[in-house]
Amino acid sequence: MRRGHTVASVPSDLATIARDVGSLLSMEAVLMAGSALVALALGEYGVALAFILSAVATLAVGGATRHVFATAPAPRMKHGMVIAAAGWLLTALFGALPFFISAHLLSPADTAAYVPAGASYAESSLRYFADPLHAVFESMSGWTGSGLTMAIHEPSLPRALLWWRSLIQWVGGVGVIVLTVSILSRPGSGSYTLYRSEAREERIHPSIVSTVRTVWKIFLAYTVLAVIVLFGAILASESLPPAEAAWQALNHAMTGLATGGFSVTDNSIATYDSPLIETVLLPIMTLGAIAFPIHYVVLRDRDLRALVADLQTRWLFVLFGVGIVVLTLQNVRTFAPALSLRDSAFQFVSALTCTGFQSSPIGSWTAGGKLITSGAMVLGGAAGSTVGGIKIIRGYTIARGIKWQFSRVFLPASTVVTARIGDRQLDREGMEREFSEAAIVSLLWLLVLLASSVVLTNLAGPEFGYADALFEVASAQGNVGLSTGITGPSMRPLAEAMLVVNMWIGRLEIIPVLVFARAVLYGLDP
């Protein structure tokens, strides 16, 4: 029994990790095969071949690994974190294949044919993906919902690759592990361990498998609604054929709701210069930043009061209001009042929801405006949603924990001290545990942010200051996608590779990456 011999000769920890990472890659191969059909339907035969080759290679690794180690034990928490970190890393690496292979398969003449008629440039951005680092950057940015891109002119890419960018952001927004659990897992198969390893805790149903399937139903329904609304807004604002308007609406609905921010237009949302489209996108981005269990309660009970009752959602809207006012006051010193309010409102919501749609030339903003927006990207929206960043609940817990620690100083030692976090009443031990977890993760997050920003300051060009570098790293690590202009195919490879790591760390909230690094160096044995 060759298979049994192979499993027996491999440590059970490694077998479990290999089996579940193989499942992730198998799921990615299915998505690639589906995208090959999209390329064929669009008549992009060279790109279709690239997707087929990518799917075959990904399935060969993932499917074989999953089959060989099929009898491995169910994952425990130590396995789950390594699976999450390794799975997201390998998913991004294999997800780069369609970009990389397409860039090498298509001739220069074929590539140039994708440049839109009348464009001010002659070369397609596809050529940049011949560099494997650029391809990996694009894939990692997509899967993690970051939205930073190596494609200077998105409309010059084959449409099947634009679809792939939107698809991986749409899937990555909810979580590639969540997708895999919803389709492949069975109750009792370690699905909760994998669910938690992707920095998720909230349940809608007692069963994790039922929970993630409900999440996908809600997400799909919202996507359909967002496509319809955006289609109407684009038709009303732009002189575009209905088919083109539908294409743009589909892609922007997928990446907007997933708070990813990839665009199919040349200058993100600024291309439209449309208050109507920007206004329509605001609730779409906001939906992606609200925790899925809250969506479920609102839809089930048909009662919007659940939004106000939820601590994270309530603070999300408070932060929207305060941030927009502060950022407008900052920008009004440079721009006209009406434009300052419009740009500040859209960009602050885009930053706090970690979407990354850009409607304003942020590179020309003052350092103060960039730092305010950086703060929003660092914090992010609600835990249990599609956003990156530290999350509102952690920020709130740290603030409450500091207040709680001070209040204890003035009370007698015998006093029973409790604290409330949302609808939970915590005793001393519970509050200390919650405060410590939030503080540790946030501190590590900020240390990586600050160290990376110092490195990027020295690697970016002389035209960029520290505020630009901090903004760019906050955008990458917060999985946002706004840019001051540092990110691009001309940036230094070391800076680009560092941002890839920042995006990976930000999506997994650091701890799984640290567990993965320890496992690589020392193994998983206690």
Side-chain angles (χ1 to χ4, degrees):
M1 298 294 292
R2 179 70 179 172
R3 178 177 159 194
H5 173 75
T6 303
V7 173
S9 63
V10 173
S12 60
D13 286 338
L14 183 58
T16 295
I17 293 166
R19 188 264 321 278
D20 288 344
V21 171
S23 296
L24 299 180
L25 294 180
S26 299
M27 187 58 60
E28 184 176 29
V30 172
L31 297 178
M32 290 174 175
S35 296
L37 296 178
V38 172
L40 289 172
L42 293 169
E44 297 176 350
Y45 302 114
V47 180
L49 178 58
F51 272 112
I52 292 171
L53 293 174
S54 301
V56 169
T58 306
L59 186 61
V61 175
T65 304
R66 182 168 178 253
H67 176 72
V68 168
F69 298 109
T71 59
R76 291 181 286 160
M77 183 50 64
K78 67 176 182 178
H79 301 125
M81 290 193 175
V82 176
I83 291 165
W88 278 89
L89 180 60
L90 289 174
T91 297
L93 291 176
F94 279 90
L97 290 176
F99 299 107
F100 181 73
I101 296 175
S102 294
H104 285 277
L105 273 183
L106 272 64
S107 68
D110 291 336
T111 301
Y114 289 106
V115 177
S120 59
Y121 51 91
E123 291 186 311
S124 169
S125 292
L126 180 60
R127 68 186 180 92
Y128 297 120
F129 297 131
D131 183 329
L133 180 57
H134 293 341
V136 169
F137 185 98
E138 199 76 7
S139 179
M140 181 66 81
S141 183
W143 280 112
T144 59
S146 298
L148 293 169
T149 181
M150 289 293 124
I152 296 176
H153 301 293
E154 286 94 335
S156 68
L157 292 176
R159 292 212 162 185
L161 286 181
L162 290 174
W163 159 258
W164 179 243
R165 292 164 84 243
S166 298
L167 178 64
I168 62 178
Q169 281 207 331
W170 190 72
V171 173
V174 178
V176 65
I177 289 178
V178 169
L179 175 65
T180 305
V181 166
S182 68
I183 296 175
L184 299 179
S185 291
R186 304 173 306 280
S189 63
S191 54
Y192 181 55
T193 299
L194 294 178
Y195 185 73
R196 290 190 61 197
S197 71
E198 207 166 56
R200 298 182 183 277
E201 295 278 354
E202 301 78 3
R203 294 186 189 223
I204 293 173
H205 306 292
S207 165
I208 288 299
V209 175
S210 297
T211 292
V212 297
R213 287 175 180 168
T214 298
V215 166
W216 273 107
K217 290 176 184 177
I218 294 171
F219 196 55
L220 181 59
Y222 280 161
T223 303
V224 172
L225 179 62
V227 171
I228 294 171
V229 174
L230 263 178
F231 176 67
I234 292 173
L235 276 183
S237 303
E238 304 293 313
S239 300
L240 293 174
E244 178 62 25
W247 166 254
Q248 295 185 13
L250 172 64
N251 284 274
H252 286 143
M254 291 172 70
T255 61
L257 189 61
T259 62
F262 271 156
S263 177
V264 294
T265 52
D266 214 358
N267 195 22
S268 191
I269 305 305
T271 297
Y272 298 116
D273 193 20
S274 167
L276 174 61
I277 293 175
E278 292 169 21
T279 302
V280 166
L281 281 170
L282 291 177
I284 293 174
M285 295 186 291
T286 302
L287 285 174
I290 296 173
F292 281 107
I294 305 305
H295 288 300
Y296 175 73
V297 172
V298 170
L299 294 172
R300 182 195 62 191
D301 299 340
R302 299 181 182 178
D303 188 355
L304 293 176
R305 286 177 295 181
L307 296 174
V308 179
D310 178 60
L311 182 150
Q312 291 195 97
T313 309
R314 190 165 64 245
W315 274 101
L316 178 69
F317 285 104
V318 169
L319 291 168
F320 279 160
V322 173
I324 289 170
V325 170
V326 173
L327 188 56
T328 300
L329 292 175
Q330 174 66 39
N331 285 338
V332 79
R333 300 162 57 189
T334 308
F335 305 102
L339 183 61
S340 296
L341 176 59
R342 174 183 159 189
D343 283 350
S344 298
F346 187 85
Q347 292 306 169
F348 191 84
V349 171
S350 181
L352 189 62
T353 62
C354 300
T355 305
F357 281 146
Q358 196 157 333
S359 66
S360 178
I362 295 176
S364 64
W365 284 12
T366 62
K370 294 171 186 174
L371 289 175
I372 293 169
T373 310
S374 297
M377 294 190 292
V378 168
L379 181 60
S385 68
T386 66
V387 304
I390 291 173
K391 309 290 190 305
I392 288 174
I393 189 62
R394 283 205 181 96
Y396 181 85
T397 301
I398 291 172
R400 287 284 294 153
I402 292 172
K403 180 182 177 181
W404 179 74
Q405 293 284 3
F406 274 113
S407 67
R408 290 173 54 202
V409 174
F410 301 98
L411 296 174
S414 60
T415 302
V416 177
V417 182
T418 62
R420 179 172 291 276
I421 301 292
D423 58 357
R424 294 181 299 153
Q425 189 76 22
L426 302 175
D427 59 15
R428 175 175 177 175
E429 182 180 348
M431 186 60 196
E432 288 179 346
R433 182 177 61 252
E434 294 282 335
F435 178 60
S436 297
E437 186 275 339
I440 290 170
V441 172
S442 300
L443 178 62
L444 290 172
W445 207 100
L446 292 173
L447 287 174
V448 173
L449 172 73
L450 293 175
S452 300
S453 64
V454 171
V455 173
L456 188 60
T457 301
N458 291 282
L459 294 176
E463 67 273 24
F464 299 106
Y466 180 72
D468 298 298
L470 180 65
F471 186 101
E472 210 78 5
V473 174
S475 182
Q477 194 166 305
N479 304 138
V480 183
L482 297 174
S483 177
T484 58
I486 293 177
T487 299
S490 61
M491 70 188 306
R492 294 188 182 183
L494 179 59
E496 185 177 351
M498 183 187 73
L499 292 184
V500 169
V501 175
N502 286 120
M503 291 187 283
W504 179 46
I505 286 175
R507 183 61 180 82
L508 292 167
E509 299 185 349
I510 295 184
I511 299 299
V513 176
L514 294 179
V515 174
F516 172 76
R518 182 194 180 281
V520 170
L521 294 174
Y522 305 110
L524 282 174
D525 293 330

